[in-house]
């Protein structure tokens, strides 16, 4: 039940209620919400478009359940092809 409520809130841009730990990174604001048995990732990675000469953010929302949590995050290993670009 907690996962359903949190998932609904997360995908509607509201903070989940049943979160045990929150981690925010300095990559542009990516936030990890760790709940009981699940993890929400609100990707927000800063990028720069040399052709348009302007900054943007790669954004995406993901849900992971045990045992598929992200424990080792590296920008080099993130495939941003499935991310949306939001220009500033």
């Amino acid at each position: 039940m907690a996962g359903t409520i949190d998932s609904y809130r997360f995908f509607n841009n509201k903070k989940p209620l049943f979160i045990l730990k929150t981690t925010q990174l300095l990559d542009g604001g990516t936030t990890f919400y760790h709940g009981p048995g699940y993890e929400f990732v609100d990707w927000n990675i800063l990028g720069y478009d040399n052709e348009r000469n302007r900054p943007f953010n790669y954004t995406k929302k993901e849900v992971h359940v045990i045992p598929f949590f992200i424990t080792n995050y590296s920008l080099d290993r993130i495939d941003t092809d499935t991310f949306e670009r939001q220009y500033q």
Side-chain angles (χ1 to χ4, degrees):
M1 177 89 158
T4 303
I5 292 169
D6 276 352
S7 181
Y8 176 81
R9 291 180 61 83
F10 177 70
F11 285 107
N12 285 285
N13 299 316
K14 296 180 181 175
K15 186 176 179 182
L17 298 174
F18 303 99
I19 297 304
L20 306 172
K21 179 183 174 187
T22 301
T23 305
Q24 190 167 20
L25 305 179
L26 300 175
D27 63 350
T30 295
T31 305
F32 292 83
Y33 299 99
H34 302 275
Y38 54 90
E39 170 187 67
F40 299 121
V41 184
D42 190 0
W43 294 103
N44 194 4
I45 303 169
L46 186 60
Y48 193 81
D49 188 336
N50 289 322
E51 292 179 13
R52 294 185 182 184
N53 198 30
R54 50 190 291 209
F56 66 90
N57 289 70
Y58 287 111
T59 61
K60 182 177 179 179
K61 292 183 179 280
E62 290 183 342
V63 175
H64 304 132
V65 294
I66 288 178
F68 301 106
F69 287 2
I70 297 177
T71 57
N72 190 7
Y73 169 73
S74 170
L75 280 176
D76 298 334
R77 295 188 301 169
I78 300 295
D79 180 15
T80 55
D81 289 342
T82 60
F83 285 59
E84 182 180 330
R85 284 187 179 198
Q86 292 185 346
Y87 285 88
Q88 298 176 5

